[in-house]
Amino acid sequence: KKSPDALLAELKTSGLRGRGGAGFPTAFKFESCKNTPGDIKFLVCNADEGDPGAYSDRYIMEERPHSLLLGMILAGYIIGARHGVLYIRGEYPESIRAQRAAIAEIRQAGYLGDNILGSGFSFDFKIIEAQGAYICGEETALLSSIEGQRPEVRVRPPYPTQQGLFNKPTVVNNVETLACIPFILQNGGAAYAAIGRGRSTGTKLVCLDGHFRQPGLYEVDMGTPLATVVHELGGGF
């Protein structure tokens, strides 16, 4: 019921930044794509999680699938994209199955397809099973892979928000970034901005492997000292 501009304003207030490593302001990327003219735009979820010992994306896709998918639908609404592409690591068959099942549930509930809930907005998903190249975690190499080309990093500019997938305006974000969006739009950008420290707002998932006394997945406020993560949460080495 709200306009894309109103939702974009909440994202700006939240201070959400990319969780894939670069920490780029999400609202800035969305606004760039939104303001680029074009009939066809794409939203791509980078779920090619290839870092050793990292499984935060996998946890979200398998245990919180609707957070990710709803975040993608909302992102598509903001930037004017009708197509959401999930590029999932091939070594994650359980994640692929969980996402397909969740997409079917969302479609049955009426939140996918043409003219969703009479809003005039249409959106649908496509899942792509990645073929296991580490370089595909870089966003422009990932786009080349989707196009069926050799996955190589592209020269920028132009940036994907101007010329991305099939040379159309495209937003690429990772799983954790997109999964934050429903909370922000439900509770308001200020509520999200109140978590964390300074320009680093919100929370972050961290993975502690078998070298820790208490291995596992932890969600911490941004700005949490590394010593707290290692000694209090992980119990030391």
Side-chain angles (χ1 to χ4, degrees), residues 135-214:
I135 189 63
C136 290
E138 197 281 331
E139 64 177 10
T140 60
L142 182 151
L143 295 176
S144 293
S145 173
I146 295 174
E147 293 172 357
Q149 301 182 52
R150 184 195 297 267
E152 292 178 336
V153 177
R154 300 180 184 179
V155 176
R156 285 168 285 197
Y159 293 95
T161 52
Q162 276 86 45
Q163 276 181 264
L165 188 60
F166 301 112
N167 289 324
K168 303 296 184 184
T170 304
V171 163
V172 184
N173 273 120
N174 91 320
V175 173
E176 195 175 344
T177 312
L178 293 163
C180 290
I181 293 175
F183 175 91
I184 292 168
L185 299 184
Q186 190 170 13
N187 299 282
Y192 189 84
I195 307 167
R197 181 181 297 180
R199 288 177 56 234
S200 298
T201 60
T203 65
K204 182 76 186 75
L205 295 175
V206 294
C207 301
L208 306 184
D209 65 16
H211 290 289
F212 292 88
R213 296 185 192 275
Q214 295 163 184

Coordinates of all heavy atoms in Angstrom, one line a residue, residues 135-214:
I135 N 34.9 -17.6 -7.9 CA 34.9 -16.3 -8.5 C 33.4 -15.8 -8.6 O 33.2 -14.6 -8.6 CB 35.6 -16.2 -9.8 CG1 35.8 -14.7 -10.3 CG2 34.9 -17.0 -10.9 CD1 36.6 -13.9 -9.4
C136 N 32.5 -16.7 -8.7 CA 31.1 -16.3 -8.9 C 30.5 -15.6 -7.7 O 29.4 -15.0 -7.8 CB 30.2 -17.5 -9.3 SG 30.5 -18.2 -10.9
G137 N 31.2 -15.6 -6.6 CA 30.8 -14.8 -5.4 C 30.9 -13.3 -5.7 O 30.3 -12.5 -5.0
E138 N 31.7 -12.9 -6.7 CA 31.9 -11.5 -7.0 C 30.7 -11.2 -8.0 O 30.4 -11.9 -8.9 CB 33.2 -11.3 -7.7 CG 33.6 -9.8 -7.8 CD 32.9 -9.1 -8.9 OE1 32.6 -9.7 -9.9 OE2 32.8 -7.8 -8.8
E139 N 30.0 -10.0 -7.7 CA 28.7 -9.8 -8.4 C 28.8 -9.8 -9.9 O 27.8 -10.3 -10.5 CB 28.1 -8.6 -7.8 CG 28.8 -7.3 -8.1 CD 28.0 -6.1 -7.5 OE1 27.0 -6.3 -6.8 OE2 28.4 -4.9 -7.9
T140 N 29.8 -9.2 -10.5 CA 29.8 -9.1 -11.9 C 30.1 -10.4 -12.6 O 29.6 -10.8 -13.7 CB 30.7 -8.0 -12.5 OG1 32.1 -8.3 -12.0 CG2 30.3 -6.6 -11.9
A141 N 31.0 -11.2 -11.9 CA 31.3 -12.5 -12.4 C 30.0 -13.4 -12.3 O 29.8 -14.2 -13.2 CB 32.4 -13.2 -11.6
L142 N 29.3 -13.2 -11.3 CA 28.0 -14.0 -11.1 C 27.0 -13.7 -12.2 O 26.4 -14.6 -12.8 CB 27.4 -13.6 -9.7 CG 26.1 -14.2 -9.3 CD1 26.1 -14.3 -7.7 CD2 24.9 -13.5 -9.7
L143 N 26.9 -12.4 -12.6 CA 26.0 -12.0 -13.7 C 26.5 -12.6 -15.0 O 25.6 -13.1 -15.8 CB 26.0 -10.5 -13.8 CG 25.4 -9.7 -12.6 CD1 25.5 -8.2 -12.9 CD2 24.0 -10.1 -12.4
S144 N 27.8 -12.7 -15.3 CA 28.2 -13.3 -16.5 C 27.9 -14.8 -16.5 O 27.5 -15.4 -17.5 CB 29.8 -13.1 -16.6 OG 30.1 -11.8 -16.9
S145 N 28.0 -15.4 -15.3 CA 27.7 -16.9 -15.2 C 26.2 -17.1 -15.5 O 25.9 -18.1 -16.2 CB 28.0 -17.3 -13.8 OG 27.6 -18.7 -13.6
I146 N 25.3 -16.2 -15.0 CA 23.9 -16.4 -15.3 C 23.6 -16.3 -16.8 O 22.8 -17.0 -17.3 CB 23.1 -15.3 -14.5 CG1 23.2 -15.6 -13.0 CG2 21.6 -15.4 -14.9 CD1 22.5 -14.5 -12.1
E147 N 24.4 -15.4 -17.4 CA 24.2 -15.2 -18.9 C 24.8 -16.3 -19.7 O 24.6 -16.3 -20.9 CB 24.8 -13.9 -19.3 CG 24.2 -12.6 -18.7 CD 24.9 -11.4 -19.0 OE1 26.0 -11.4 -19.5 OE2 24.4 -10.3 -18.6
G148 N 25.4 -17.3 -19.0 CA 26.0 -18.4 -19.8 C 27.4 -18.1 -20.3 O 27.9 -18.9 -21.1
Q149 N 28.0 -17.0 -19.8 CA 29.4 -16.7 -20.2 C 30.4 -17.2 -19.2 O 30.0 -17.6 -18.1 CB 29.5 -15.2 -20.4 CG 28.5 -14.6 -21.3 CD 28.7 -13.1 -21.5 OE1 29.9 -12.6 -21.7 NE2 27.7 -12.3 -21.3
R150 N 31.7 -17.1 -19.5 CA 32.8 -17.4 -18.6 C 32.7 -16.4 -17.4 O 32.6 -15.2 -17.6 CB 34.1 -17.2 -19.3 CG 35.3 -17.6 -18.4 CD 36.6 -17.1 -19.0 NE 36.9 -17.7 -20.3 CZ 37.6 -18.8 -20.5 NH1 38.1 -19.4 -19.4 NH2 37.8 -19.3 -21.7
P151 N 32.6 -16.9 -16.2 CA 32.5 -16.0 -15.0 C 33.8 -15.2 -14.7 O 34.7 -15.7 -14.1 CB 32.2 -17.0 -13.9 CG 32.8 -18.3 -14.3 CD 32.7 -18.3 -15.8
E152 N 33.9 -14.1 -15.3 CA 35.0 -13.2 -15.1 C 34.5 -11.8 -14.6 O 33.4 -11.4 -15.0 CB 35.8 -13.0 -16.4 CG 36.5 -14.3 -16.9 CD 37.2 -14.1 -18.2 OE1 36.8 -13.2 -19.0 OE2 38.1 -14.9 -18.5
V153 N 35.3 -11.2 -13.8 CA 35.0 -9.9 -13.2 C 35.0 -8.9 -14.3 O 35.9 -8.8 -15.1 CB 36.0 -9.5 -12.1 CG1 35.7 -8.1 -11.6 CG2 36.0 -10.5 -11.0
R154 N 33.9 -8.1 -14.3 CA 33.7 -7.0 -15.4 C 34.4 -5.7 -14.9 O 34.5 -5.4 -13.7 CB 32.2 -6.8 -15.6 CG 31.5 -8.0 -16.1 CD 30.0 -7.7 -16.4 NE 29.3 -8.9 -16.8 CZ 27.9 -8.8 -17.0 NH1 27.3 -7.7 -16.9 NH2 27.3 -9.9 -17.3
V155 N 34.7 -4.9 -15.9 CA 35.3 -3.6 -15.6 C 34.1 -2.7 -15.3 O 33.0 -2.7 -15.8 CB 36.0 -3.0 -16.9 CG1 36.4 -1.6 -16.7 CG2 37.2 -3.9 -17.3
R156 N 34.3 -1.9 -14.2 CA 33.3 -0.9 -13.8 C 33.9 0.5 -13.8 O 35.0 0.6 -13.4 CB 32.8 -1.3 -12.4 CG 31.8 -2.5 -12.4 CD 31.6 -3.0 -11.0 NE 32.7 -3.7 -10.5 CZ 32.7 -4.5 -9.5 NH1 31.5 -4.7 -8.8 NH2 33.7 -5.2 -9.1
P157 N 33.1 1.6 -14.2 CA 31.8 1.5 -14.7 C 31.7 0.9 -16.1 O 32.7 0.8 -16.7 CB 31.4 3.0 -14.7 CG 32.7 3.8 -14.8 CD 33.7 2.9 -14.1
P158 N 30.4 0.6 -16.6 CA 29.2 0.8 -15.9 C 28.9 -0.1 -14.8 O 29.4 -1.3 -14.8 CB 28.1 0.6 -17.0 CG 28.8 -0.4 -18.0 CD 30.3 0.0 -17.9
Y159 N 28.2 0.3 -13.8 CA 27.9 -0.5 -12.6 C 26.6 -1.3 -12.9 O 25.8 -1.0 -13.8 CB 27.7 0.4 -11.4 CG 28.9 1.0 -10.9 CD1 29.2 2.3 -11.4 CD2 29.8 0.4 -10.1 CE1 30.4 3.0 -11.0 CE2 31.0 1.0 -9.7 CZ 31.3 2.3 -10.2 OH 32.5 2.9 -9.8
P160 N 26.4 -2.5 -12.2 CA 25.3 -3.3 -12.5 C 23.9 -2.6 -12.4 O 23.0 -2.9 -13.1 CB 25.4 -4.4 -11.4 CG 26.9 -4.5 -11.1 CD 27.4 -3.1 -11.2
T161 N 23.8 -1.6 -11.5 CA 22.6 -0.8 -11.4 C 22.2 -0.1 -12.6 O 21.0 0.2 -12.8 CB 22.6 0.2 -10.2 OG1 23.7 1.0 -10.3 CG2 22.6 -0.6 -8.9
Q162 N 23.2 0.2 -13.5 CA 22.9 0.8 -14.8 C 22.9 -0.3 -15.9 O 22.0 -0.3 -16.7 CB 23.9 1.8 -15.2 CG 23.7 3.2 -14.6 CD 24.2 3.4 -13.2 OE1 25.4 3.0 -12.9 NE2 23.5 3.9 -12.3
Q163 N 23.9 -1.1 -15.9 CA 24.0 -2.2 -16.9 C 24.5 -3.5 -16.2 O 25.6 -3.7 -16.0 CB 25.0 -1.8 -18.0 CG 24.5 -1.0 -19.1 CD 25.6 -0.7 -20.2 OE1 26.2 0.4 -20.2 NE2 25.7 -1.6 -21.1
G164 N 23.5 -4.3 -15.9 CA 23.8 -5.5 -15.2 C 23.5 -6.8 -16.0 O 24.1 -7.0 -17.0
L165 N 22.6 -7.6 -15.5 CA 22.2 -8.8 -16.1 C 21.6 -8.5 -17.5 O 20.6 -7.7 -17.6 CB 21.2 -9.6 -15.2 CG 20.8 -11.0 -15.7 CD1 22.0 -11.9 -15.7 CD2 19.8 -11.6 -14.7
F166 N 22.1 -9.1 -18.5 CA 21.7 -8.9 -19.9 C 21.6 -7.4 -20.3 O 20.8 -6.9 -21.0 CB 20.3 -9.5 -20.2 CG 20.3 -11.0 -20.0 CD1 19.6 -11.6 -18.9 CD2 21.1 -11.9 -20.7 CE1 19.6 -12.9 -18.7 CE2 21.1 -13.3 -20.5 CZ 20.4 -13.8 -19.5
N167 N 22.6 -6.6 -19.7 CA 22.7 -5.2 -19.8 C 21.5 -4.4 -19.4 O 21.3 -3.2 -19.8 CB 23.0 -4.9 -21.3 CG 24.4 -5.3 -21.7 OD1 25.4 -5.2 -20.9 ND2 24.6 -5.7 -22.9
K168 N 20.7 -5.0 -18.5 CA 19.6 -4.3 -17.9 C 19.9 -3.8 -16.5 O 20.8 -4.4 -15.8 CB 18.3 -5.2 -17.9 CG 17.9 -5.8 -19.2 CD 17.5 -4.7 -20.2 CE 16.9 -5.3 -21.5 NZ 16.6 -4.3 -22.4
P169 N 19.3 -2.8 -16.0 CA 19.5 -2.3 -14.6 C 19.3 -3.4 -13.6 O 18.2 -4.1 -13.6 CB 18.5 -1.2 -14.4 CG 18.2 -0.7 -15.8 CD 18.3 -1.9 -16.7
T170 N 20.3 -3.7 -12.8 CA 20.2 -4.9 -11.9 C 20.8 -4.5 -10.5 O 21.8 -3.8 -10.4 CB 21.1 -6.0 -12.5 OG1 20.6 -6.3 -13.8 CG2 21.0 -7.3 -11.6
V171 N 20.1 -5.0 -9.5 CA 20.6 -4.9 -8.1 C 21.1 -6.3 -7.7 O 20.3 -7.3 -7.8 CB 19.5 -4.4 -7.1 CG1 20.0 -4.7 -5.7 CG2 19.4 -2.9 -7.3
V172 N 22.3 -6.4 -7.2 CA 22.8 -7.7 -6.7 C 23.1 -7.5 -5.2 O 23.8 -6.6 -4.8 CB 24.1 -8.1 -7.4 CG1 24.6 -9.5 -6.9 CG2 23.9 -8.2 -8.9
N173 N 22.4 -8.3 -4.4 CA 22.7 -8.3 -2.9 C 22.8 -9.7 -2.4 O 22.3 -10.7 -3.0 CB 21.6 -7.6 -2.2 CG 21.8 -6.1 -2.1 OD1 21.0 -5.3 -2.5 ND2 22.9 -5.7 -1.5
N174 N 23.5 -9.9 -1.3 CA 23.6 -11.3 -0.7 C 22.4 -11.6 0.1 O 21.5 -10.8 0.4 CB 25.0 -11.5 0.0 CG 24.9 -11.1 1.5 OD1 24.2 -10.2 1.9 ND2 25.5 -12.0 2.2
V175 N 22.3 -12.9 0.5 CA 21.2 -13.4 1.2 C 20.9 -12.6 2.5 O 19.7 -12.2 2.8 CB 21.4 -14.9 1.6 CG1 20.3 -15.4 2.5 CG2 21.6 -15.7 0.3
E176 N 21.9 -12.4 3.3 CA 21.7 -11.8 4.6 C 21.2 -10.4 4.5 O 20.3 -9.9 5.3 CB 23.0 -11.8 5.4 CG 22.8 -11.5 6.9 CD 24.1 -11.7 7.7 OE1 25.1 -12.3 7.2 OE2 24.1 -11.2 8.9
T177 N 21.7 -9.6 3.5 CA 21.2 -8.2 3.3 C 19.7 -8.2 3.0 O 18.9 -7.5 3.6 CB 22.0 -7.6 2.1 OG1 23.4 -7.8 2.3 CG2 21.7 -6.1 2.1
L178 N 19.3 -9.0 2.0 CA 17.9 -9.1 1.6 C 17.0 -9.5 2.7 O 15.8 -9.1 2.9 CB 17.7 -9.9 0.4 CG 18.4 -9.3 -0.9 CD1 18.6 -10.4 -1.9 CD2 17.6 -8.2 -1.4
A179 N 17.5 -10.5 3.6 CA 16.6 -11.0 4.7 C 16.4 -10.0 5.8 O 15.5 -10.2 6.6 CB 17.3 -12.3 5.2
C180 N 17.2 -8.9 5.8 CA 16.9 -7.8 6.8 C 15.8 -6.9 6.4 O 15.2 -6.2 7.3 CB 18.2 -6.9 6.9 SG 19.6 -7.7 7.7
I181 N 15.4 -6.9 5.1 CA 14.4 -5.9 4.7 C 13.1 -6.0 5.3 O 12.5 -5.0 5.7 CB 14.4 -5.9 3.1 CG1 15.7 -5.4 2.5 CG2 13.2 -5.0 2.6 CD1 15.8 -5.5 1.0
P182 N 12.5 -7.2 5.4 CA 11.2 -7.3 6.1 C 11.1 -6.7 7.5 O 10.1 -6.0 7.8 CB 10.9 -8.8 6.1 CG 11.7 -9.4 5.0 CD 12.9 -8.5 4.9
F183 N 12.1 -7.0 8.3 CA 12.2 -6.4 9.6 C 12.2 -4.9 9.6 O 11.4 -4.2 10.3 CB 13.4 -6.9 10.4 CG 13.5 -6.2 11.8 CD1 13.0 -6.8 12.9 CD2 14.2 -5.0 11.9 CE1 13.1 -6.2 14.1 CE2 14.3 -4.4 13.2 CZ 13.8 -5.0 14.3
I184 N 13.0 -4.3 8.7 CA 13.1 -2.9 8.5 C 11.7 -2.2 8.2 O 11.3 -1.2 8.8 CB 14.2 -2.5 7.5 CG1 15.6 -2.9 8.1 CG2 14.1 -1.0 7.2 CD1 16.7 -2.8 7.0
L185 N 11.1 -2.8 7.2 CA 9.8 -2.2 6.7 C 8.7 -2.5 7.6 O 7.7 -1.8 7.6 CB 9.5 -2.7 5.3 CG 10.6 -2.3 4.2 CD1 10.2 -2.8 2.8 CD2 10.9 -0.8 4.3
Q186 N 8.8 -3.5 8.4 CA 7.7 -3.8 9.4 C 7.8 -3.0 10.7 O 6.8 -2.5 11.2 CB 7.7 -5.3 9.8 CG 6.5 -5.8 10.6 CD 6.5 -7.3 10.7 OE1 7.5 -8.0 10.4 NE2 5.4 -7.8 11.1
N187 N 9.1 -2.8 11.1 CA 9.3 -2.1 12.4 C 9.8 -0.6 12.2 O 9.9 0.1 13.2 CB 10.3 -2.8 13.2 CG 9.8 -4.2 13.6 OD1 9.0 -4.4 14.5 ND2 10.3 -5.2 12.9
G188 N 10.2 -0.3 11.0 CA 10.6 1.1 10.7 C 12.2 1.1 10.7 O 12.8 0.4 11.4
G189 N 12.7 2.0 9.8 CA 14.1 2.2 9.7 C 14.8 2.6 11.0 O 15.9 2.2 11.3
A190 N 14.1 3.4 11.8 CA 14.7 3.9 13.0 C 15.0 2.8 14.0 O 16.0 2.8 14.7 CB 13.9 5.0 13.6
A191 N 14.1 1.8 14.1 CA 14.2 0.7 15.0 C 15.5 -0.1 14.6 O 16.2 -0.6 15.5 CB 13.0 -0.2 15.0
Y192 N 15.7 -0.3 13.3 CA 16.9 -1.0 12.9 C 18.1 -0.2 13.1 O 19.2 -0.8 13.6 CB 16.7 -1.3 11.4 CG 17.8 -2.3 10.9 CD1 17.6 -3.7 11.0 CD2 18.9 -1.8 10.2 CE1 18.6 -4.6 10.5 CE2 19.9 -2.7 9.7 CZ 19.7 -4.1 9.9 OH 20.7 -4.9 9.4
A193 N 18.1 1.1 12.9 CA 19.2 2.0 13.1 C 19.7 2.0 14.5 O 20.8 2.3 14.8 CB 19.0 3.3 12.5
A194 N 18.7 1.8 15.4 CA 19.0 1.8 16.9 C 19.9 0.6 17.3 O 20.4 0.7 18.4 CB 17.7 1.8 17.7
I195 N 20.0 -0.4 16.5 CA 20.8 -1.6 16.8 C 22.2 -1.3 16.1 O 22.3 -0.9 15.0 CB 20.2 -2.8 16.2 CG1 18.7 -3.0 16.7 CG2 21.0 -4.1 16.6 CD1 18.0 -4.1 16.0
G196 N 23.3 -1.7 16.8 CA 24.6 -1.6 16.2 C 25.3 -0.4 16.8 O 25.0 0.2 17.8
R197 N 26.2 0.1 15.9 CA 27.1 1.2 16.4 C 27.5 2.1 15.2 O 27.9 1.6 14.2 CB 28.4 0.7 17.0 CG 29.3 1.7 17.5 CD 30.6 1.1 18.1 NE 30.3 0.3 19.2 CZ 31.3 -0.4 19.9 NH1 32.5 -0.3 19.5 NH2 30.9 -1.1 21.0
G198 N 27.2 3.4 15.3 CA 27.6 4.4 14.3 C 26.9 4.1 13.0 O 25.7 3.8 12.9
R199 N 27.8 4.0 11.9 CA 27.3 3.8 10.5 C 27.0 2.3 10.3 O 26.5 1.9 9.3 CB 28.3 4.3 9.5 CG 28.3 5.8 9.4 CD 29.4 6.2 8.4 NE 29.2 5.6 7.1 CZ 30.1 5.0 6.4 NH1 31.3 4.8 7.0 NH2 29.9 4.5 5.2
S200 N 27.4 1.4 11.3 CA 27.2 0.0 11.1 C 26.0 -0.4 12.0 O 26.1 -0.7 13.2 CB 28.5 -0.8 11.6 OG 29.6 -0.4 10.8
T201 N 24.9 -0.4 11.3 CA 23.6 -0.6 12.0 C 23.2 -2.1 11.9 O 23.6 -2.8 11.0 CB 22.5 0.3 11.5 OG1 22.3 0.1 10.1 CG2 22.9 1.8 11.7
G202 N 22.2 -2.5 12.8 CA 21.7 -3.8 12.6 C 22.5 -4.9 13.3 O 23.4 -4.6 14.1
T203 N 22.3 -6.1 12.9 CA 23.0 -7.3 13.4 C 23.7 -8.0 12.3 O 23.5 -7.7 11.1 CB 22.0 -8.3 14.1 OG1 21.2 -8.8 13.1 CG2 21.2 -7.6 15.2
K204 N 24.6 -8.9 12.7 CA 25.4 -9.7 11.7 C 25.4 -11.1 12.2 O 25.6 -11.4 13.4 CB 26.8 -9.1 11.6 CG 27.7 -9.9 10.6 CD 27.3 -9.5 9.2 CE 28.1 -10.3 8.2 NZ 27.6 -11.7 8.0
L205 N 25.3 -12.1 11.3 CA 25.5 -13.5 11.6 C 27.0 -13.8 11.5 O 27.6 -13.4 10.6 CB 24.7 -14.4 10.7 CG 23.2 -14.3 10.7 CD1 22.5 -15.1 9.7 CD2 22.6 -14.7 12.1
V206 N 27.5 -14.5 12.5 CA 28.9 -15.0 12.5 C 28.9 -16.5 12.7 O 28.2 -17.0 13.5 CB 29.8 -14.3 13.6 CG1 29.9 -12.8 13.2 CG2 29.2 -14.4 14.9
C207 N 29.9 -17.1 12.0 CA 30.0 -18.6 12.1 C 31.3 -18.9 12.8 O 32.4 -18.5 12.4 CB 30.0 -19.2 10.7 SG 28.5 -18.8 9.7
L208 N 31.2 -19.7 13.8 CA 32.3 -20.2 14.6 C 32.5 -21.7 14.3 O 31.6 -22.5 14.6 CB 32.2 -19.9 16.1 CG 31.9 -18.5 16.5 CD1 31.8 -18.3 18.0 CD2 32.9 -17.5 15.9
D209 N 33.7 -22.1 13.8 CA 33.9 -23.5 13.4 C 34.3 -24.4 14.6 O 34.3 -24.0 15.7 CB 34.8 -23.6 12.2 CG 36.2 -23.1 12.6 OD1 36.5 -23.0 13.8 OD2 37.0 -22.8 11.7
G210 N 34.8 -25.6 14.3 CA 35.1 -26.6 15.3 C 36.3 -26.2 16.1 O 36.6 -27.0 17.1
H211 N 37.1 -25.2 15.8 CA 38.2 -24.8 16.6 C 37.8 -24.1 17.9 O 38.6 -23.9 18.8 CB 39.2 -23.9 15.9 CG 39.9 -24.6 14.8 ND1 40.9 -25.5 15.0 CD2 39.7 -24.5 13.4 CE1 41.3 -26.0 13.8 NE2 40.6 -25.4 12.9
F212 N 36.5 -23.7 18.0 CA 36.0 -23.1 19.2 C 35.4 -24.1 20.2 O 34.9 -25.2 19.7 CB 34.9 -22.1 18.8 CG 35.4 -20.9 18.1 CD1 35.6 -20.9 16.7 CD2 35.9 -19.7 18.8 CE1 36.1 -19.8 16.0 CE2 36.4 -18.6 18.1 CZ 36.5 -18.7 16.7
R213 N 35.3 -23.8 21.4 CA 34.6 -24.7 22.4 C 33.1 -24.8 22.2 O 32.5 -25.8 22.5 CB 34.9 -24.2 23.8 CG 36.4 -24.2 24.2 CD 36.6 -23.8 25.7 NE 38.0 -23.6 26.0 CZ 38.8 -24.6 26.4 NH1 38.4 -25.8 26.4 NH2 40.1 -24.3 26.7
Q214 N 32.6 -23.7 21.7 CA 31.1 -23.6 21.5 C 30.9 -23.2 20.0 O 30.5 -22.0 19.8 CB 30.4 -22.6 22.5 CG 30.5 -23.1 23.9 CD 30.3 -22.0 24.9 OE1 30.4 -22.2 26.1 NE2 29.9 -20.8 24.4

